[in-house]
Amino acid sequence: MREVTHWIFSLFLSLSGLPVIMLLRNRAVVALGLRMCSSHVTKGPLADAVKHSSDMSEFREVFSKAKHIAIITGAGVSAESGVPTFRGKNEKWRKWLSQDLATPEAFSRDPSRVWEFYHYRRELVMNKKPSAVHLALAECEARLKKQGRSVVIITQCIDDLHRQAGSKHVLNVHGSLMETRCMSCGHVSVNKRSPICAPLKNKGDPGPDVPDAQIPVDKLPRCEERECNGLLRPNVVFFGETLDSHILTKVEKEIETCDLCLVVGASSIVYPAAMFGPRIASRGVPVAEFNIHTTPKSEYFMYHFQGPCGTTLPQALAQHESEVF
């Protein structure tokens, strides 16, 4: 709980200098954090670490009885499709750290540079295909729906690979690279153009010696909604921004109603998403983690399956002998 309390405290500090209207906009994420720190969350697995199991047959029995399954996915899922995590050796684009470009301030100062960075990421993602993980999740959702059971994917990934694979019930906690939002009118739309605008064609090379394109702001992606012509930005959550309150409300509902949770390819270090699994575990609901290694939250979960998710997850979600159609 110390980590969660620290996160909430840091959030309040970051909001303390903002205008009242911005504080009101952020009330949903603060409320979610406070609920995560409430007394009932400190009971059970979140307060007392549990010894997890790697018994696949035991998990399969639990899976066969679950009616409402929440699946939390992270960057490890995209990595299995060849999408860089933008951490470690991939954390730099040209000479800048990714987290220094993905901020409202950076976009305000130099929208051309930030759009080059995101154009590079968009084009990279557009050339990737769903992995065995994405396909297993989509197949599971479709199959269980016929049985009156539900699967929801709560993802931190900003690529479109879950939907490409066929998943229907997807909550994009951090937004989507395949969407844009107008800085003037606020309109959000799906945008899969390649390139997203002509001046960005063949731009975005990440090499450390590549010069900035310095595209005039009026030539960057512009809004086409009702002749608005406002500057577009990627509809993703920049560092320093809070999560969409509407998405958080839906996530909260899933956290409170699911009877089984899978945490797949998530590092469990990015908040508030890192607390979703432990929050579910605190209700006594089985949580199974699939990852190539243990994470800071592994000790709170009932099951942990180590190894490539593309190997372990399809086996875990395959049709159980008890399933009837």
Side-chain angles (χ1 to χ4, degrees), residues 200-274:
L200 279 169
K201 185 176 182 179
N202 299 323
K203 304 298 182 183
D205 190 302
D209 299 320
V210 177
D212 288 353
Q214 298 183 337
I215 300 169
V217 69
D218 63 331
K219 301 299 182 183
L220 291 172
R222 313 298 296 192
C223 182
E224 298 178 356
E225 183 72 7
R226 300 176 184 174
E227 301 181 353
C228 170
N229 201 42
L231 176 64
L232 296 179
R233 57 162 280 180
N235 190 36
V236 298
V237 179
F238 286 151
F239 287 96
E241 294 181 327
T242 54
L243 278 58
D244 186 302
S245 61
H246 299 293
I247 296 294
L248 279 177
T249 298
K250 293 178 181 179
V251 169
E252 175 74 359
K253 179 180 178 182
E254 301 297 339
I255 287 174
E256 290 299 326
T257 59
C258 69
D259 55 3
L260 175 64
C261 173
L262 281 65
V263 180
V264 185
S267 63
S268 292
I269 60 175
V270 180
Y271 287 83

Side-chain angles (χ1 to χ4, degrees), residues 26-94:
N26 290 292
R27 66 188 183 279
V29 72
V30 174
L32 177 61
L34 291 175
R35 285 196 292 274
M36 286 180 174
C37 292
S38 62
S39 58
H40 78 276
V41 179
T42 61
K43 300 175 182 178
L46 193 56
D48 304 307
V50 298
K51 184 176 180 180
H52 54 244
S53 167
S54 57
D55 187 329
M56 182 63 78
S57 61
E58 180 183 315
F59 168 79
R60 296 271 295 152
E61 285 298 318
V62 174
F63 165 71
S64 71
K65 297 176 174 63
K67 300 296 184 183
H68 306 288
I69 304 172
I71 302 176
I72 302 164
T73 67
V77 171
S78 296
E80 295 205 16
S81 286
V83 179
T85 61
F86 292 95
R87 287 190 184 143
K89 66 178 182 179
N90 298 310
E91 67 180 348
K92 274 195 172 182
W93 176 85
R94 295 181 184 168

Side-chain angles (χ1 to χ4, degrees), residues 104-277:
E105 295 79 14
F107 190 77
S108 177
R109 283 194 308 267
D110 197 334
S112 175
R113 178 186 295 159
V114 175
W115 256 122
E116 271 201 90
F117 170 62
Y118 275 99
H119 171 69
Y120 162 69
R121 296 186 68 176
R122 281 170 53 92
E123 295 295 306
L124 188 152
V125 166
M126 286 181 182
N127 289 317
K128 303 301 180 183
K129 301 295 182 184
S131 69
V133 178
H134 297 103
L135 296 174
L137 292 172
E139 190 280 332
C140 179
E141 178 187 357
R143 188 180 81 241
L144 267 55
K145 183 178 180 181
K146 296 176 182 177
Q147 304 171 31
R149 301 160 68 191
S150 68
V151 171
V152 59
I153 295 174
I154 302 168
T155 186
Q156 300 173 70
C157 304
I158 60 175
D159 54 58
D160 198 43
L161 293 173
H162 279 304
R163 294 194 185 278
Q164 280 189 44
S167 293
K168 305 298 183 184
H169 194 182
V170 181
L171 298 177
N172 292 94
V173 175
H174 293 158
S176 171
L177 278 173
M178 299 300 122
E179 293 180 352
T180 54
R181 183 166 83 245
C182 179
M183 298 288 289
S184 297
C185 72
H187 181 70
V188 174
S189 62
V190 174
N191 191 324
K192 297 183 180 180
R193 293 177 184 170
S194 176
I196 191 169
C197 69
L200 279 169
K201 185 176 182 179
N202 299 323
K203 304 298 182 183
D205 190 302
D209 299 320
V210 177
D212 288 353
Q214 298 183 337
I215 300 169
V217 69
D218 63 331
K219 301 299 182 183
L220 291 172
R222 313 298 296 192
C223 182
E224 298 178 356
E225 183 72 7
R226 300 176 184 174
E227 301 181 353
C228 170
N229 201 42
L231 176 64
L232 296 179
R233 57 162 280 180
N235 190 36
V236 298
V237 179
F238 286 151
F239 287 96
E241 294 181 327
T242 54
L243 278 58
D244 186 302
S245 61
H246 299 293
I247 296 294
L248 279 177
T249 298
K250 293 178 181 179
V251 169
E252 175 74 359
K253 179 180 178 182
E254 301 297 339
I255 287 174
E256 290 299 326
T257 59
C258 69
D259 55 3
L260 175 64
C261 173
L262 281 65
V263 180
V264 185
S267 63
S268 292
I269 60 175
V270 180
Y271 287 83
M275 286 307 301
F276 295 163

Side-chain angles (χ1 to χ4, degrees), residues 263-292:
V263 180
V264 185
S267 63
S268 292
I269 60 175
V270 180
Y271 287 83
M275 286 307 301
F276 295 163
R279 170 76 184 275
I280 293 169
S282 74
R283 296 197 290 112
V285 172
V287 178
E289 183 178 51
F290 295 78
N291 212 313
I292 58 174

